[in-house]
Amino acid sequence: MIERTLCLTGGAVEATIHAVKHGGITGNMAGGTHHAHRDFGSGYCVFNDLAISAMYAIEHLGVKRVAILDLDVHQGDGTATILSNENRTRTISVHCSTNFPFRKSVSDFDLPIEPNSGDVAYMEKVQEAVNLCLEFEPDLVLYQAGVDGLEHDHLGKLNVTREGMRTRNQYVFEEMLNHRIPTVIFMGGGYSKPIEHTIDAFYDLFIDASIWTQRW
Ligand SMILES: [Zn+2]
């Protein structure tokens, strides 16, 4: 458990350093531990790698503004709370209104979606979230790309298709590349039954990231 937690957090920081130094899209094939608070863990999350990476980039890498774009089906409550008094970051969370955490924190921008929403309603919120992200003019984007909004997900209550999830990712990559904003992917959640649907969606995420980053 300790080794896993350290690898996950270290991987997030490494990916952040790489993105800031070289640009493009980088990623950690783990993490996105957005439920961890400053002084306690929650919802499978021990340390909050998003908040750690954001503050590391600001304090050690000369980054001025970091946007955290959290599109996991669950609200990024820990990230929101840890960074609530930090005006060099902007936390944006798109999530299902009835999913965990049941007592929501206050992000800089919360965009809840009703349960059972499908691709169209989801993409509308994603576009709104991306616009809020770009409006902040960040030097770095941390993208929590959880795929637990999938229709087959056991925990998530949205009905997004594999294709819809892929469209989401490609839209984020396209916008960040067009605006030349280095972007770090944090894996986030995925709990499909059977698990193959989750694996397919993460496969799409990282393969598409590798294709899009070649255009940096
Ligand atoms: Zn989640």
Side-chain angles (χ1 to χ4, degrees):
M1 189 71 192
I2 292 171
E3 193 181 0
R4 175 191 183 280
T5 301
L6 294 178
C7 284
L8 175 166
T9 313
V13 173
E14 286 267 330
T16 301
I17 292 170
H18 199 279
V20 173
K21 279 193 181 160
H22 305 287
I25 303 165
T26 68
N28 185 14
M29 287 182 169
T33 44
H34 58 174
H35 299 307
H37 288 67
R38 200 177 281 273
D39 53 355
F40 64 96
S42 172
Y44 312 142
C45 305
V46 179
F47 296 133
N48 193 309
D49 59 348
L50 291 148
I52 290 170
S53 298
M55 293 318 296
Y56 186 90
I58 289 169
E59 287 175 6
H60 300 286
L61 304 176
V63 169
K64 292 193 175 65
R65 284 184 303 282
V66 183
I68 293 105
L69 178 66
D70 190 330
L71 304 184
D72 192 279
V73 80
H74 305 99
Q75 193 208 25
D77 58 333
T79 322
T81 307
I82 294 171
L83 299 175
S84 62
N85 293 318
E86 178 51 72
N87 57 19
R88 295 168 294 182
T89 62
R90 173 175 281 193
T91 53
I92 305 153
S93 179
V94 174
H95 50 265
C96 178
S97 58
T98 59
N99 262 120
F100 179 91
F102 304 111
R103 190 176 300 149
K104 306 279 189 279
S105 297
V106 180
S107 312
D108 293 321
F109 293 91
D110 285 302
L111 288 76
I113 310 181
E114 291 308 301
N116 303 316
S117 296
D119 293 359
V120 175
Y122 188 59
M123 265 314 286
E124 276 174 18
K125 291 288 180 190
V126 168
Q127 286 173 351
E128 209 180 318
V130 167
N131 286 338
L132 287 165
C133 184
L134 294 173
E135 179 194 279
F136 187 57
E137 299 187 351
D139 316 296
L140 176 68
V141 167
L142 307 183
Y143 172 30
Q144 211 280 21
V147 298
D148 40 13
L150 277 177
E151 55 194 345
H152 302 282
D153 201 89
H154 181 56
L155 298 182
K157 293 178 180 169
L158 296 182
N159 276 326
V160 179
T161 64
R162 177 179 179 182
E163 218 30 64
M165 219 34 106
R166 207 169 167 202
T167 304
R168 172 197 81 169
N169 298 328
Q170 293 177 351
Y171 178 75
V172 172
F173 298 154
E174 189 70 31
E175 289 295 311
M176 297 315 149
L177 279 182
N178 286 342
H179 292 84
R180 302 283 297 173
I181 306 170
T183 299
V184 186
I185 298 171
F186 293 71
M187 191 174 182
Y191 316 93
S192 284
K193 276 192 177 175
I195 196 66
E196 280 74 12
H197 297 293
T198 294
I199 295 168
D200 287 343
F202 279 133
Y203 170 86
D204 293 341
L205 170 71
F206 288 109
I207 293 295
D208 281 338
S210 73
I211 293 167
W212 256 256
T213 197
Q214 286 174 31
R215 291 174 29 210
W216 177 263

